[in-house]
Each structure stands twice: as structure tokens, then as C-alpha cells.
Amino acid sequence: DAGVIQSPRHEVTEMGQEVTLRCKPISGHDYLFWYRQTMMRGLELLIYFNNNVPIDDSGMPEDRFSAKMPNASFSTLKIQPSEPRDSAVYFCASRSGQGQFTGELFFGEGSRLTVL
Amino acid sequence: QKEVEQNSGPLSVPEGAIASLNCTYSDRVSQSFFWYRQYSGKSPELIMSIYSNGDKEDGRFTAQLNKASQYVSLLIRDSQPSDSATYLCAGLSSGSARQLTFGSGTQLTVLP
């Protein structure tokens, strides 16, 4: 089975430009998470969805960040306008909501964003 | 206090030695804990979970949980160069929002 698929893998853009990151979760997983990872702050939860509905977006740093999940197989994280401090690796992860949570999140390979 | 805190390291140990990775947590995190391993340039993967006070062993890995001290640790026996990675401690948030909160990670290097 395919794992979590993220695109693009690498993105280099200039300050002020719009950035859109994409994620396809594992089929059948009803939770989807967006994390951001930097050396300074580690792995931070930005937002998560359950059955396509945003549940907690308290980790979204500013109004410049927005996320959508129009259907069970696709989510986007958008940054507009982007700033150099947004440079990080953005991970999408998914898990099943069936049964007891085992603690296992399935991560995509990440999107490395560099804002110049 | 951050919900989950780790010694940021980095930590270097010689091959064959025991590597000890530590993590503390706040009351905002429930008492289910997980260790993820992340190789450089890769995504995190779950390697251990622990729910009860005491030790849990899986091969060369032992997770330890001390609820009274709010302390979690991971021991890696007979460390190998292939164990070189960043190790992330994660706790399950309390309340209805059941999500993982990660520590900042400890970078481990096992020297041949």
C-alpha cells in the first residue's frame, strides 16, 4: 500500500510568494495532521483534521497559514504571503481512528520549504 | 513548562555502549508515551510505546516510564552505527483532543 504522499518534496520561493503544500493520506485513515519541523522548535503540530473536518488549528502560527481538506484523500497547507521564517520541513501524517490509538502516526516524506 | 522536553544533545556514544535518552513531561500530557526515530532527511517512525510505570523491552531497546517523576527514557543497548539518528519523545495530550505532542528530539551518534 502507498504511504502518505506529499508534494512538492522541495520548494524554494521568494518572500511574499504563495506556497501550497499537498498531502494524500493513507486510504482509510480518518485523521490527518500537519506538522512543521525546525531545528529551533522541533516538530510542532499545526492543525489536524478528523473525517475532513478541522479539529484543532491552535498551532497555526498566523493568519498567513491556512489548511483545507476538501475530501478524504487530499489536503493542502497554504502560506500566503510566505516569509523567510517559514522555512522548515512540513510533514503530513495520518492515522486510523478505529480501535485504540497505538501512538503510530504514518508520516509522509515531508516538504522542505525555503523562503528567500 | 513545555509539554514534552528532551535533552537536545547531541549525544555521542561508542559502538557497543548503552545510549540513554531522556524526556520529561508536564501534566498536560497523559501517561502514554512513544519514542520515534528519525534518520537524517527522513520522516519519523515509531519504535517504542509505553503506557505503564516501569520498563518495557523490545530487542536492544528498553523504554522506561516513571510517573511519579514524570520522566520517560529510552535505553539502547549494544549501540550500532545504524542507530545514529534523532530520537523524538512524544506524549498523548490529555483531554478530548487525543493528539501527539513531540519533544524537540535528541540527536544520537554512535561512533564505530
Side-chain angles (χ1 to χ4, degrees):
Chain A
D1 288 340
V4 175
I5 299 173
Q6 290 187 245
S7 64
R9 290 293 313 279
H10 301 275
E11 174 91 4
V12 180
T13 190
E14 293 188 344
M15 183 173 62
Q17 296 299 304
E18 177 179 295
V19 173
T20 299
L21 308 178
R22 297 172 178 79
C23 175
K24 176 179 169 55
I26 292 173
S27 178
H29 282 188
D30 41 11
Y31 282 86
L32 182 140
F33 304 81
W34 282 101
Y35 283 89
R36 176 174 69 174
Q37 187 173 40
T38 61
M39 289 293 292
M40 290 295 294
R41 300 177 67 88
L43 194 62
E44 303 174 280
L45 178 64
L46 300 178
I47 185 171
Y48 79 95
F49 297 82
N50 179 214
N51 292 322
N52 314 337
V53 176
I55 302 300
D56 185 354
D57 65 355
S58 60
M60 297 284 263
E62 299 172 32
D63 291 344
R64 299 183 297 106
F65 286 70
S66 62
K68 294 182 179 180
M69 191 166 186
N71 58 62
S73 58
F74 184 66
S75 177
T76 60
L77 178 67
K78 185 175 293 187
I79 308 172
Q80 166 63 22
S82 58
E83 297 183 4
R85 60 195 167 120
D86 301 330
S87 297
V89 179
Y90 291 81
F91 285 103
C92 177
S94 71
R95 72 169 177 92
S96 171
Q98 302 300 313
Q100 184 179 1
F101 179 40
T102 63
E104 186 165 22
L105 296 182
F106 295 83
F107 284 84
E109 294 185 304
S111 294
R112 180 175 295 276
L113 172 65
T114 302
V115 183
L116 303 174
Chain B
Q1 181 190 4
K2 292 181 68 174
E3 291 178 327
V4 178
E5 292 199 62
Q6 292 184 251
N7 294 337
S8 58
L11 175 67
S12 292
V13 299
E15 184 174 356
I18 296 175
S20 177
L21 306 164
N22 306 312
C23 175
T24 58
Y25 61 91
S26 74
D27 292 337
R28 289 175 289 172
V29 179
S30 73
Q31 298 182 344
S32 298
F33 296 93
F34 311 92
W35 284 97
Y36 277 72
R37 178 176 61 201
Q38 185 177 22
Y39 291 114
S40 180
K42 302 296 185 181
S43 56
E45 56 178 346
L46 179 68
I47 57 170
M48 288 284 288
S49 59
I50 186 164
Y51 305 99
S52 305
N53 226 15
D55 295 359
K56 178 181 177 183
E57 187 174 316
D58 184 0
R60 297 185 294 111
F61 296 88
T62 299
Q64 299 175 318
L65 175 58
N66 183 325
K67 296 179 179 180
S69 301
Q70 296 184 298
Y71 179 88
V72 189
S73 65
L74 179 70
L75 301 179
I76 306 174
R77 291 183 301 281
D78 187 23
S79 297
Q80 301 296 309
S82 59
D83 295 325
S84 298
T86 296
Y87 290 81
L88 301 165
C89 174
L92 199 58
S93 63
S94 301
S96 60
R98 305 290 279 173
Q99 61 202 27
L100 289 185
T101 299
F102 287 86
S104 56
T106 299
Q107 185 178 349
L108 171 67
T109 300
V110 181
L111 304 170

